[in-house]
Amino acid sequence: MKTKREPRIRSVKFNVLMNMIVVTSSFLFPLITVPYVSRVLSPKGMGAVSWAQSILNYFSIVALLGIPSYGIRECAKVRNDNEKLSQTVQELLTILLISTSVVYAAFLAAVFFIPRMRQDAPTMFIFSIGIWLSACGVEWFYQAIEQYAYITVRNVAMKLVSLILMFLLIHSVSDYRIYAIILVIGSYGSNIINVLRLHKFVTFKKRKLNLRRHFKPMVSFAISKISSGLYAQMDIVLVGFMCTNTAVGLYQLVVKIKNLSVVAVNSVSDVMLPRLSYYKSNADETKLADLMAKNLNFLMILGLFLLSIISVCSKPLILVIAGSQYVEATKALIVVSPVILFSALNSLLSQFLIVQGREKVYAIINFLGLVSSIITGLLLIPRFNIIGAALSITLSESITLIIRIIATRRLLLNLNGKFDFLKIIGAFALSLAALFIIRPIVQQQLNIVQIVIYTLVYLCIDLFSLLLMKENFITTTLKR
């Protein structure tokens, strides 16, 4: 029998670099496409697409049953044993096939019975392809065996394809369904490659599958991922039910800018779960704590930077990215900016809970986040429209962050003094104050010039202050 290819496990530094390339492309491509598509499709067209996409994401999240996180942990544990790895992958794919079939049947019923979904059924069916492609994409497998070079190349290639298709095919408001098709290709097309390439690492054969062994540990992952997934989309879905497509179009731009920023801040922590799981399984608590401290310092520095720039440059950013049609979204963008930092910290602390095997706590916190987002959304959106939606998600993220800090307080208190919270906050305060001081002068400049000036001033003051205070992450990074 042909020996399966052993995955090459690279350093954390290499994985972070690869993920940074993905993140950079996630910034560059929207910077090219969003200004064009937003202006061509208008808030109304963008709203129709964004709402349909959010609804279908709900179904997709339920179909996945938390396997993207559970699969990373379980496959990372047995990545050096091909038989156990193959067994695990085959069992998880079987579960996904069953769950996706059930969820897709529920989707068909929803389109038939819910008038708001039936209004634009063709767009709904376009995005429904993603339910199947996300379930079969096995992205979790490649993350578990740390194949970030492959993930990066594939990700960037599909973005290039999407970019070309957008400029070739989208020319008027009526092309919004073509835009939906391109989004599906860009988001899920590469999953087909994942499946075709899987046989190089995994042996598929007739074997006795023990699906039941996954059910109990998966419950917490399923609850938490479904809760957090529904929670992440709840604001835009509620806006779609309570407001017009134009309001959805305005708010989706706010969400897009917020999500891009969150992805940037999470670029490091996203590659840490396999390595954290590895250290935990080998009882290497010292390395685990060191890695967590470095991540926290990085997330605080980058998160506060993006929060500051988006708050101060909200109007120039919207005008540059989408044009004057979207200027009404300015206040909502300011209100939602703290989520950039809160969400990144929530993500890292959630990973630590997973590594510790505290899935139940992880699940409960995510469920509480979902409940809080529904309650705050129902209370605030009818009264304040998209500003209410932004406020609801900010409040929900802050609530879940406080709970996660309490749940992980022992870790945070035992990071060996390597988490430089006060130094980072001090540098942030000085940098933000400088932005407000120069604001009356900078506001007279062109929008893009304003963004560049604010960014350079903040970075210079922040980095100089951190160096002066000998902040751990910056000083160790420069030494290397």
Side-chain angles (χ1 to χ4, degrees), residues 267-286:
S267 59
V268 172
S269 62
D270 281 348
V271 304
M272 292 301 170
L273 183 55
R275 192 59 57 97
L276 289 171
S277 297
Y278 182 76
Y279 287 154
K280 186 66 178 178
S281 65
N282 287 278
D284 199 337
E285 298 294 335
T286 302

Side-chain angles (χ1 to χ4, degrees), residues 437-445 454:
I437 291 170
I438 65 171
R439 193 173 189 179
I441 301 171
V442 178
Q443 280 181 329
Q444 311 302 319
Q445 307 300 317
Y454 284 130

Side-chain angles (χ1 to χ4, degrees), residues 63-347:
L64 290 172
L65 294 176
I67 286 178
S69 290
Y70 174 74
I72 291 174
R73 190 188 74 174
E74 295 305 301
C75 291
K77 286 179 181 177
V78 295
R79 69 187 185 190
N80 295 325
D81 187 324
N82 184 260
E83 177 57 30
K84 289 183 179 178
L85 181 63
S86 299
Q87 174 91 12
T88 300
V89 172
Q90 197 166 337
E91 288 170 350
L92 294 181
L93 282 175
T94 302
I95 293 170
L96 281 170
L97 182 61
I98 296 168
S99 65
T100 305
S101 299
V102 173
V103 167
Y104 199 80
F107 160 73
L108 294 175
V111 172
F112 183 79
F113 288 110
I114 300 176
R116 181 70 173 89
M117 291 179 65
R118 200 164 58 241
Q119 284 177 10
D120 198 0
T123 308
M124 291 287 174
F125 282 111
I126 289 169
F127 280 114
S128 73
I129 298 169
I131 297 176
W132 289 102
L133 292 179
S134 63
C136 301
V138 291
E139 185 83 358
W140 41 270
F141 169 77
Y142 293 100
Q143 290 175 331
I145 62 172
E146 300 188 35
Q147 298 299 291
Y148 289 101
Y150 160 72
I151 291 171
T152 300
V153 172
R154 184 214 61 196
N155 188 290
V156 173
M158 292 310 300
K159 282 186 171 69
L160 279 170
V161 172
S162 300
L163 175 68
I164 294 167
L165 290 175
M166 282 182 195
F167 285 107
L168 286 177
L169 302 176
I170 299 174
H171 304 292
S172 67
V173 177
S174 60
D175 293 331
Y176 73 94
R177 285 177 184 154
I178 296 175
Y179 178 53
I181 294 171
I182 294 171
L183 287 177
V184 171
I185 294 170
S187 300
Y188 305 109
S190 60
N191 287 4
I192 298 171
I193 302 172
N194 285 357
V195 175
L196 295 176
R197 193 171 180 265
L198 192 58
H199 71 91
K200 293 182 178 181
F201 302 99
V202 173
T203 303
F204 287 98
K205 63 182 182 181
K206 187 176 181 180
R207 50 165 59 96
K208 187 177 180 180
L209 301 180
N210 183 11
L211 304 184
R212 295 185 65 178
R213 74 185 178 99
H214 299 288
F215 293 163
K216 187 176 180 180
M218 269 180 57
V219 169
S220 296
F221 280 95
I223 293 172
S224 60
K225 280 300 174 183
I226 291 171
S227 297
S228 61
L230 298 182
Y231 158 63
Q233 307 275 338
M234 184 57 66
D235 50 350
I236 199 165
V237 169
L238 289 178
V239 170
F241 276 115
M242 298 182 195
C243 308
T244 63
N245 272 345
T246 300
V248 177
L250 292 170
Y251 189 66
Q252 63 81 32
L253 180 67
V254 172
V255 172
K256 200 165 285 180
I257 295 172
K258 181 259 294 181
N259 286 346
L260 283 173
S261 302
V262 170
V263 167
V265 181
N266 281 339
S267 59
V268 172
S269 62
D270 281 348
V271 304
M272 292 301 170
L273 183 55
R275 192 59 57 97
L276 289 171
S277 297
Y278 182 76
Y279 287 154
K280 186 66 178 178
S281 65
N282 287 278
D284 199 337
E285 298 294 335
T286 302
K287 287 185 178 180
L288 190 149
D290 287 347
L291 198 57
M292 285 291 295
K294 289 177 184 177
N295 268 276
L296 281 169
N297 286 337
F298 177 82
L299 293 182
M300 287 288 294
I301 293 167
L302 184 56
L304 289 170
F305 160 64
L306 290 173
L307 183 160
S308 302
I309 297 302
I310 287 175
S311 297
V312 176
C313 301
S314 55
K315 188 174 180 179
L317 274 170
I318 286 174
L319 290 171
V320 169
I321 293 173
S324 58
Q325 297 178 85
Y326 295 82
V327 76
E328 291 179 48
T330 302
K331 290 181 181 178
L333 182 57
I334 294 171
V335 172
V336 87
S337 60
V339 172
I340 297 165
L341 178 62
F342 297 163
S343 180
L345 294 174
N346 271 322
S347 177

